[in-house]
Amino acid sequence: DWSSGEYSCDLSVQEYVGSSCSKDLLDVIQKCGNRFYAINNRAAKEELEEQVEQLLTMIMAMVEENKGTFYTQEMYQEAKKKLQDKMEEQRRKAEQSDPLHLERERLIRKLTEEKEKMQRELEERVKKEIGR
């Protein structure tokens, strides 16, 4: 049995979470490898200390499972892909809503390339002058 605020029930935390939580929370829990932990804040001091110890053990096992990092390379790649997809979607929306968007982007790229070229040429001139 456990309690949350003024609510208490005869379900285990796992049963409660599985049956009563929002889809968004269940999605987060699933993305976390179906790992979550609840602490009974009304427990006696000894039980609270045991719960904290269990939580720390769970965290250490997770870090070890991820080879000492907070996230895996696979998780990073997935997040990176989602970000790129979102940016691409925003770019497409901007193009559709602004007919001059593509022309502006082309001009920005051209000016950036010219600036980089001029900077390289200037650096080469400086190197030649210093070498004299």
Side-chain angles (χ1 to χ4, degrees), residues 1-3 9-19 21 36-39:
D1 294 357
W2 63 281
S3 62
C9 66
D10 294 326
L11 296 174
S12 71
V13 174
Q14 290 81 1
E15 291 169 333
Y16 177 78
V17 167
S19 65
C21 289
F36 64 94
Y37 194 82
I39 292 181

Side-chain angles (χ1 to χ4, degrees), residues 8-63:
S8 65
C9 66
D10 294 326
L11 296 174
S12 71
V13 174
Q14 290 81 1
E15 291 169 333
Y16 177 78
V17 167
S19 65
S20 302
C21 289
S22 71
K23 181 182 179 333
D24 291 337
L25 179 57
L26 291 174
D27 287 346
V28 169
I29 291 170
Q30 183 181 15
K31 287 178 183 177
C32 293
N34 292 316
R35 292 180 293 228
F36 64 94
Y37 194 82
I39 292 181
N40 179 355
N41 59 1
R42 294 185 181 174
K45 182 180 179 188
E46 296 81 25
E47 187 179 342
L48 275 174
E49 289 173 355
E50 184 179 319
Q51 290 176 24
V52 169
E53 191 64 37
Q54 289 172 351
L55 175 60
L56 291 174
T57 300
M58 183 181 185
I59 292 169
M60 294 305 292
M62 181 185 66
V63 170

Side-chain angles (χ1 to χ4, degrees), residues 41-100:
N41 59 1
R42 294 185 181 174
K45 182 180 179 188
E46 296 81 25
E47 187 179 342
L48 275 174
E49 289 173 355
E50 184 179 319
Q51 290 176 24
V52 169
E53 191 64 37
Q54 289 172 351
L55 175 60
L56 291 174
T57 300
M58 183 181 185
I59 292 169
M60 294 305 292
M62 181 185 66
V63 170
E64 187 176 311
E65 183 180 309
N66 289 340
K67 297 176 179 69
T69 63
F70 298 104
Y71 58 88
T72 64
Q73 182 66 18
E74 182 180 288
M75 293 163 74
Y76 171 76
Q77 293 298 332
E78 181 181 335
K80 183 178 174 183
K81 171 95 171 85
K82 285 181 182 180
L83 180 61
Q84 289 171 338
D85 291 347
K86 189 170 190 161
M87 290 173 61
E88 178 63 24
E89 181 183 334
Q90 289 175 342
R91 186 188 65 76
R92 278 194 302 263
K93 284 181 181 178
E95 287 175 4
Q96 291 173 353
S97 66
D98 183 3
L100 297 177

